């Protein structure tokens, strides 16, 4: 019998909710649900909590949204008392923060580490889920809450000869705990997304030689990282609740100083002055530069050309600078935030291979072979990203009503309602799922909004004596259509991004996140006000 068809063993424990994943989403879900009196078990595959910040320990890993914003707001004393050492906290500090939260709110008693949820099956007669872990445990839960993250299922492309490489290999998303020393070594980094752009300057500073294999050039803006000026910390903390509320009321949910005028109503000089001020401010505030930056290709091109100009100024070799100049629209792939990325290409020990000119043919025992020849390497770093958004969900064996698997239900793309609920999968909730703003927003506030919504829905069901809640098919279809229609007129549809699943061969090309934090929150609020409109409650 296939493993997926094997009946789980006897049930060993029962909970109101099983939460899958111990990152920021899972930790807050556990805290919030427990606070409402629900019994909860949280399973985490890793041997520590922290999710993204547990697994992504590569050199230079740090958040690309300011830490004063990329932090929890659910507890006023927590947000007042915690201090960030830098504007963009490094991975180690984010992990410390996750552990601090777990201790401060006594979460560990309900967290089980080193345990991967393998399957969850809905028992249609009893309105409960039967959840099985890789440790052979079988538990019953009225609700399953998926806090599995958007970028947690790593992607290592199936290069020919991959297994034959005799040196060390790393994936940025599964970086080892122990220090990795590149001193004196010939290192190859495959990929030029955010993870690569953060790690390349540090690897280059250590390695004997670094070869970067670039398939698509990306836009990166400087972080201008450093300690946060005291007056800024004081100001934000003096009005934290309002600051958070204001950010929820924006398109992308972060403090990026959104202008409401358009790029095209300004002269080239005015536009360049605006882009220059964003460049000097640093970080992703570039997204807020003009209202039409993601919608009007001509407006977008003005920002694109400004950044290309910066690349041409920084990189001394004009031929390398040209290879580094992206041809996609700005923001079509998520912009990157760096410290010294472009300048790294001025180092004598760094070379750039443009895979559009000379694609990778194979990995060999001693390096990477492109169509132009062999690059000998001691180490290969795969900065090749993730099977984003759906991967962490569809790789589990999740079966709803009638034994239908989520993988099959999502064969043509992730169909759900508000990103949180899937028709045919009652009492199954997703935090920051496809169909919600998630990766097109500041993740932490979006996580909190989703968790609060889900927790309140569960409390409502309990109060009304309902045992079952799921999206209705027409509401789900209308939402999926709306998610697509919102993205359709934007430049987000114009390149092969992971938002579209285009980085994974064979994955359906569907735009997954929802563009628009403020309208999303308004819709979630309206659904509740209308008695959970679009949901079947029983
Ligand atoms: P990514 O953005 O998906 O980048 C993967 C890179 O690998 C791309 O350059 C991609 O090229 C390349 N690649 C993939 N398959 C390849 C193949 N078969 N051959 C050659 N190159 C290949 O992944 P990531 O850098 O890990 O970042 C993913 C997301 O995580 C980011 O967009 C961001 O949202 C988040 N992140 C955030 C931070 C932060 O907050 N600071 C840091 C890291 C990551 P193509 O572009 O041609 O596909």
């Amino acid at each position: 019998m296939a493993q997926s068809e094997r009946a789980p063993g006897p049930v060993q424990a029962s909970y109101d909710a099983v939460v899958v994943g111990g990152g920021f989403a899972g930790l807050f879900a556990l805290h919030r649900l427990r606070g409402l009196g629900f019994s909860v078990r949280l399973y985490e595959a890793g041997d520590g909590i922290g999710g993204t910040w547990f697994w992504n320990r590569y050199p230079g890993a740090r958040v690309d949204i300011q830490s004063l914003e990329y932090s929890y707001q659910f507890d006023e004393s927590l947000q007042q008392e915690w201090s960030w050492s830098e504007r963009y906290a490094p991975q180690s500090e984010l992990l410390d923060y996750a552990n601090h939260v777990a201790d401060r709110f006594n979460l560990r008693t309900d967290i089980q580490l080193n345990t991967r949820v393998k399957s969850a099956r809905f028992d249609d007669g009893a309105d409960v889920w039967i959840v099985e872990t890789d440790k052979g445990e079988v538990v019953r839960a009225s609700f399953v809450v998926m806090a599995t993250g958007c970028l947690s299922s790593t992607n290592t492309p199936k290069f020919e000869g991959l297994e034959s490489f005799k040196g060390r290999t790393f994936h940025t998303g599964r970086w080892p705990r122990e220090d990795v020393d590149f001193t004196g070594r010939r290192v190859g980094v495959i990929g030029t997304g955010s993870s690569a752009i953060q790690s390349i300057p540090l690897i280059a500073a250590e390695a004997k030689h670094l070869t970067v294999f670039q398939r698509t050039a990306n836009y990166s803006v400087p972080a201008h990282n450093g300690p946060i000026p005291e007056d800024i910390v004081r100001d934000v903390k003096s009005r934290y609740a309002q600051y958070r509320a204001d950010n929820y009321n924006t398109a992308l949910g972060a403090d990026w100083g959104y202008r409401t005028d358009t790029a095209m109503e300004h002269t080239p000089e005015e536009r360049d002055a605006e882009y220059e001020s964003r460049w000097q401010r640093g970080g992703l505030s570039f997204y807020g530069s003009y209202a039409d930056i993601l919608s009007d290709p001509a407006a977008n091109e003005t920002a694109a050309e400004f950044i290309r100009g910066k690349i041409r100024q920084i990189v001394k070799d004009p031929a390398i600078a040209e290879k580094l100049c992206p041809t996609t629209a700005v923001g079509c792939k998520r912009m990157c935030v760096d410290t010294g990325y472009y300048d790294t290409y001025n180092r004598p020990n760094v070379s750039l291979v443009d895979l559009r000119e000379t694609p990778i043919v194979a990995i060999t025992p001693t390096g990477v072979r492109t169509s132009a020849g062999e690059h000998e390497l001691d180490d290969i770093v795969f900065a090749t990203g993730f099977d984003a958004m759906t991967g962490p969900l569809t790789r589990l064996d999740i079966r709803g009503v009638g034994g239908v698997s989520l993988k099959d239900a999502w064969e043509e793309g992730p169909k759900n309602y508000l990103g949180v609920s899937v028709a045919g999968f009652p009492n199954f909730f997703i935090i920051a799922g496809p169909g919600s703003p998630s990766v097109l927003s500041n993740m932490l506030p979006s996580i909190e909004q989703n968790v609060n919504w889900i927790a309140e829905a569960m409390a409502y069901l309990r109060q009304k004596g309902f045992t079952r809640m799921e999206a209705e098919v027409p509401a789900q279809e209308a939402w999926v259509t709306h998610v697509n229609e919102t993205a359709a007129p934007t430049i987000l549809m114009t390149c092969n991004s992971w938002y579209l699943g285009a980085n994974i061969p064979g994955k359906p090309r569907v735009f997954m996140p929802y563009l628009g934090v403020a309208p999303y929150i308004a819709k979630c609020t309206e659904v509740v006000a209308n008695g959970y409109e679009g949901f079947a409650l029983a």
Side-chain angles (χ1 to χ4, degrees):
M1 197 182 268
Q3 192 166 19
S4 60
E5 290 160 14
R6 185 177 53 79
V11 170
Q12 293 148 11
S14 293
Y15 304 99
D16 291 324
V18 157
V19 173
V20 188
F24 282 131
L27 294 179
F28 180 50
L30 168 58
H31 174 67
R32 188 76 170 83
L33 293 176
R34 237 174 36 175
L36 287 169
F38 291 109
S39 61
V40 186
R41 192 73 175 158
L42 185 155
Y43 293 109
E44 164 56 50
D47 64 6
I49 58 163
T52 284
W53 304 107
F54 176 86
W55 298 106
N56 288 266
R57 297 159 187 265
Y58 60 82
R62 61 178 67 250
V63 64
D64 63 0
I65 289 184
Q66 303 189 85
S67 295
L68 277 171
E69 298 178 64
Y70 187 89
S71 48
Y72 286 123
Q73 60 189 288
F74 69 84
D75 186 271
E76 182 59 16
S77 345
L78 171 68
Q79 66 176 359
Q80 289 297 336
E81 287 162 23
W82 184 266
S83 4
W84 298 102
S85 68
E86 293 173 57
R87 192 172 164 201
Y88 301 99
Q91 170 270 332
S92 59
E93 195 168 324
L94 286 150
L95 196 55
D96 288 348
Y97 178 67
N99 279 289
H100 170 78
V101 169
D103 291 333
R104 186 177 179 126
F105 298 98
N106 191 27
L107 301 180
R108 294 190 200 275
T109 47
D110 295 312
I111 296 176
Q112 187 168 324
L113 299 174
N114 297 306
T115 309
R116 185 178 289 281
V117 165
K118 259 183 14 184
S119 69
R121 293 144 193 260
F122 187 65
D123 179 340
D124 206 5
D127 288 350
V128 294
W129 285 88
I130 304 298
V131 177
E132 192 178 10
T133 75
D134 64 351
K135 298 285 179 292
E137 281 165 288
V138 181
V139 300
R140 182 188 292 117
S142 304
F143 297 91
V144 168
V145 180
M146 301 302 286
T148 38
C150 297
L151 296 157
S152 52
S153 186
T154 55
N155 166 46
T156 303
K158 294 183 175 45
F159 294 112
E160 195 188 315
L162 181 61
E163 304 303 325
S164 71
F165 184 62
K166 296 248 185 308
R168 301 183 300 180
T169 57
F170 305 93
H171 192 291
T172 48
R174 284 288 176 279
W175 204 261
R177 261 172 194 260
E178 58 277 8
D179 277 348
V180 176
D181 188 1
F182 290 111
T183 309
R185 298 179 73 86
R186 298 161 305 171
V187 183
V189 172
I190 302 180
T192 49
S194 299
S195 304
I197 281 175
Q198 288 188 330
S199 56
I200 280 169
L202 290 153
I203 297 175
E206 210 171 86
K208 181 173 165 200
H209 190 88
L210 171 65
T211 308
V212 178
F213 297 89
Q214 171 187 275
R215 187 166 70 177
T216 310
N218 240 320
Y219 295 93
S220 189
V221 286
H224 300 310
N225 193 29
I228 318 173
E230 259 314 306
D231 56 325
I232 293 183
V233 176
R234 253 198 319 275
D235 171 47
V236 170
K237 287 193 173 178
S238 72
R239 55 187 178 92
Y240 232 144
Q242 190 58 47
Y243 183 72
R244 303 287 198 178
D246 290 346
N247 288 338
Y248 270 140
N249 206 22
T250 64
L252 297 168
D255 175 14
W256 289 335
Y258 308 87
R259 290 179 67 136
T260 50
D261 50 350
T262 64
M264 301 319 280
E265 64 192 78
H266 289 277
T267 64
E269 293 72 26
E270 286 168 343
R271 282 195 297 263
D272 280 355
E274 173 64 20
Y275 297 141
E276 183 63 37
S277 81
R278 302 273 168 173
W279 186 270
Q280 295 309 331
R281 174 176 164 172
L284 296 174
S285 76
F286 231 88
Y287 277 116
S289 51
Y290 288 110
D292 53 352
I293 196 131
L294 294 182
S295 54
D296 179 354
N300 189 281
E301 179 58 19
T302 64
E305 198 44 32
F306 174 86
I307 300 178
R308 290 184 204 119
K310 288 289 184 188
I311 298 170
R312 291 177 186 122
Q313 273 170 24
I314 299 168
V315 180
K316 298 202 174 91
D317 181 330
I320 296 175
E322 255 356 271
K323 287 186 207 295
L324 289 166
C325 281
T327 53
T328 52
V330 176
C332 185
K333 296 189 179 206
R334 185 184 170 97
M335 285 180 86
C336 306
V337 177
D338 72 275
T339 299
Y341 174 65
Y342 293 117
D343 196 33
T344 300
Y345 292 93
N346 294 324
R347 296 178 64 104
N349 69 330
V350 174
S351 45
L352 177 67
V353 175
D354 186 343
L355 298 179
R356 284 169 309 178
E357 291 171 3
T358 55
I360 294 176
V361 176
I363 308 267
T364 68
T366 52
V368 170
R369 189 163 71 238
T370 69
S371 57
E374 173 109 4
H375 297 267
E376 291 202 346
L377 301 169
D378 302 310
D379 300 319
I380 300 177
V381 174
F382 293 96
T384 42
F386 302 88
D387 181 357
M389 307 204 77
T390 51
L393 295 160
T394 53
R395 74 183 163 174
L396 305 186
D397 186 14
I398 297 164
R399 290 176 187 265
V401 174
V404 173
S405 80
L406 187 66
K407 194 163 183 250
D408 289 345
W410 282 7
E411 206 178 355
E412 295 164 357
K415 293 180 182 158
N416 66 32
Y417 183 35
L418 304 179
V420 294
S421 173
V422 186
F425 295 78
N427 302 355
F428 177 84
F429 293 115
I430 305 167
I431 303 169
S436 79
S438 58
V439 293
L440 281 181
S441 70
N442 180 0
M443 281 296 286
L444 257 178
S446 286
I447 281 170
E448 283 184 283
Q449 186 273 342
N450 261 199
V451 168
N452 284 325
W453 194 95
I454 291 164
E456 280 154 29
M458 284 170 56
Y460 177 82
L461 296 182
R462 182 177 58 186
Q463 185 207 339
K464 296 283 179 193
F466 292 130
T467 57
R468 186 167 166 145
M469 172 177 186
E470 72 179 292
E472 287 173 336
V473 172
Q476 173 167 290
E477 281 175 0
W479 183 250
V480 171
T481 304
H482 175 62
V483 171
N484 283 291
E485 283 176 355
T486 305
T490 72
I491 57 85
L492 291 161
M493 302 298 287
T494 62
C495 69
N496 292 325
S497 69
W498 58 257
Y499 297 141
L500 277 161
N503 62 327
I504 303 294
K507 192 165 171 171
R509 194 180 171 95
V510 174
F511 193 78
M512 294 184 284
Y514 178 64
L515 176 60
V517 171
Y520 174 79
I521 294 175
K523 173 73 179 173
C524 289
T525 309
E526 182 192 302
V527 163
V528 177
N530 292 338
Y532 288 94
E533 185 177 29
F535 285 94
L537 310 180

